[in-house]
Amino acid sequence: MIDFHCHLDLYPDPKRVADECRERGVYILSMTTTPTAWQISSRLSQEGDRIRTALGLHPQVAHERHAELSVFDELIGGAHYVGEIGLDGAPEFKNHWAVQVKVFTHILEACRRVGGRIMSIHSRRATKAVLEHLAKHDGAGTPILHWFSGSLRELERAIDLGCWFSVGPAMLRSERGQELAEHMPRDRVLTETDGPFAQADGKSLMPWEAQHAVGLLSTIWGVSADAVESSLRDNLRKLVSSQARETAQPSRVL
Ligand code: MN
């Protein structure tokens, strides 16, 4: 089971959720929304488990937290994963667009300098701009567009740029999400929940509920759930080993 985009540190009882993820053997990539949260949040993972913590600066808080870019720069050398980062073009964040772009650009540049990182990227109402930045910052690493919501044409462009995709139950419930998932390259897809933000039936999704996405993908792709699971596992292995190779990092990886 794989939840490649959730926010462990934002659940009411993060330690309990992390413990349950360990018991259930879930592979987790836990986002942080600010660089200063990364070290504390990293403590939710333990030696030998399957929980990893990404270093991030969320576009929705970029205007309040941009001063933490210096902290980001200090920590990036020791962080194998980056997220949540990106751009948000929704009306309530659009007036902070300039600072969002500054933060995103800075982070892509920092990732490139250290040889590239696996990056979980937010692109709500900003797909075109996110893709333009990724194209400009070739070498920043492997982008995973989380909860992709662009057009089919933008999806094609993202695929050409080498993007991966993480899809969750919330996204796959909508017809539009299903159509996008149908057109995604199956060897570049992972599952996610975006919990605790994303909900099902009024309740925050828990990381192990990424499993619901497997059933949905099985219907969308017209293959068995076992076949979906085996592709997801292969994808995860491939993603992590390619990154370890590129950056020659000692592979404390998944
Ligand atoms: Mn998120």
Side-chain angles (χ1 to χ4, degrees):
M1 211 182 310
I2 301 165
D3 184 354
F4 222 63
H5 183 113
C6 63
H7 300 258
L8 276 190
D9 60 351
L10 299 180
Y11 284 96
D13 188 349
K15 267 182 62 87
R16 196 191 60 76
V17 179
D19 285 343
E20 185 154 356
C21 289
R22 260 185 291 277
E23 271 162 40
R24 292 172 179 256
V26 192
Y27 287 96
I28 301 278
L29 185 61
S30 179
M31 301 296 118
T32 51
T33 45
T34 67
T36 46
W38 185 70
Q39 278 167 314
I40 300 161
S41 192
S42 295
R43 289 184 212 139
L44 289 168
S45 85
Q46 292 171 4
E47 195 64 38
D49 72 7
R50 295 166 164 180
I51 300 174
R52 299 294 176 267
T53 310
L55 172 66
L57 207 168
H58 199 293
Q60 294 174 351
V61 299
H63 58 292
E64 296 162 342
R65 301 299 194 123
H66 56 95
E68 289 185 33
L69 281 174
S70 56
V71 182
F72 186 97
D73 291 346
E74 279 164 32
L75 297 173
I76 182 67
H80 293 185
Y81 301 91
V82 164
E84 181 164 358
I85 60 167
L87 296 171
D88 192 311
E92 63 269 42
F93 300 106
K94 199 66 202 257
N95 45 344
H96 304 302
W97 186 254
V99 66
Q100 287 191 48
V101 166
K102 182 185 148 217
V103 166
F104 189 41
T105 306
H106 180 107
I107 288 175
L108 292 174
E109 200 42 42
C111 289
R112 193 191 53 73
R113 263 200 316 274
V114 294
R117 289 292 183 262
I118 292 168
M119 307 175 288
S120 188
I121 299 179
H122 175 111
S123 56
R124 184 173 72 145
R125 299 220 199 167
T127 312
K128 187 166 175 278
V130 163
L131 296 180
E132 277 167 12
H133 281 88
L134 291 175
K136 244 192 283 177
H137 295 271
D138 189 27
T142 309
I144 305 173
L145 300 178
H146 113 85
W147 200 329
F148 182 82
S149 56
S151 65
L152 282 175
R153 177 178 282 209
E154 286 166 337
L155 177 63
E156 258 174 57
R157 170 96 173 111
I159 295 167
D160 286 345
L161 285 169
C163 292
W164 286 55
F165 305 90
S166 59
V167 301
M171 167 184 170
L172 296 177
R173 267 197 310 266
S174 78
E175 250 177 64
R176 165 142 200 79
Q178 290 166 14
E179 191 188 18
L180 288 165
E182 193 186 332
H183 290 86
M184 286 173 182
R186 296 179 193 181
D187 59 351
R188 280 196 241 157
V189 171
L190 294 169
T191 46
E192 67 165 41
T193 61
D194 203 15
F197 290 123
Q199 301 189 331
D201 306 321
K203 280 199 298 194
S204 283
L205 284 166
M206 303 306 287
W208 45 91
E209 293 179 300
Q211 194 61 21
H212 298 330
V214 172
L216 291 161
L217 284 175
S218 141
T219 308
I220 296 163
W221 289 347
V223 299
S224 70
D226 282 350
V228 173
E229 294 226 45
S230 122
S231 308
L232 295 171
R233 262 197 310 274
D234 289 348
N235 293 350
L236 181 61
R237 207 172 298 129
K238 189 176 63 182
L239 176 73
V240 169
S241 59
S242 69
Q243 192 67 22
R245 228 179 6 254
E246 269 171 41
T247 55
Q249 286 170 343
S251 48
R252 190 201 171 238
V253 288
L254 289 164

